[in-house]
Amino acid sequence: MKQVLLIATGGTIACRETENGLSPALTGAELLDLLPELKQICEVAVCDLMNLDSTDLTAADRTRIAHTVWDHYALYDGFVVAHGTDTLAYTAALLHHVLPNLDKPLVLTGSM
């Protein structure tokens, strides 16, 4: 069975209603629990890297995502980054430039 690493970063996909409005609250494991059918097609490990609104992500945070993929590259068959929708394109651009020629899937997903 394929091994996938889910890298949770927060964003709308991880939001819950709080006293201050929507705020990233779900962990990667809680996101994974929403998709129990995945257990039939792959094994997913979770890395709770951060829990930020994507508008608060910095270049350093995006670099942390890239380092996490690179540091775990030999261990997994693919990677999913659960990310906020608002700045997903910026993270995708950075990953494209700092992780060229990947031969494994790297999927960024938000809640759109």
Side-chain angles (χ1 to χ4, degrees), residues 21-67:
L22 289 176
S23 182
L26 295 176
T27 66
E30 290 168 324
L31 288 172
L32 195 56
D33 286 344
L34 297 172
L35 300 165
E37 60 274 6
L38 282 179
K39 294 175 183 170
Q40 298 172 11
I41 59 173
C42 62
E43 292 183 22
V44 182
V46 174
C47 172
D48 287 309
L49 191 59
M50 59 192 82
N51 205 5
L52 299 172
D53 185 289
S54 70
T55 59
D56 294 328
L57 284 176
T58 65
D61 294 325
R62 291 179 175 88
T63 301
R64 279 182 63 204
I65 296 168
H67 278 286

Side-chain angles (χ1 to χ4, degrees), residues 61-79:
D61 294 325
R62 291 179 175 88
T63 301
R64 279 182 63 204
I65 296 168
H67 278 286
T68 300
V69 172
W70 186 254
D71 291 345
H72 295 88
Y73 196 73
L75 301 174
Y76 296 95
D77 299 302
F79 303 87

Side-chain angles (χ1 to χ4, degrees), residues 82-104:
H83 194 286
T85 307
D86 292 334
T87 65
L88 189 126
Y90 299 118
T91 300
L94 180 134
L95 293 174
H96 172 74
H97 290 289
V98 301
L99 297 171
N101 305 316
L102 295 181
D103 62 354
K104 297 178 181 183

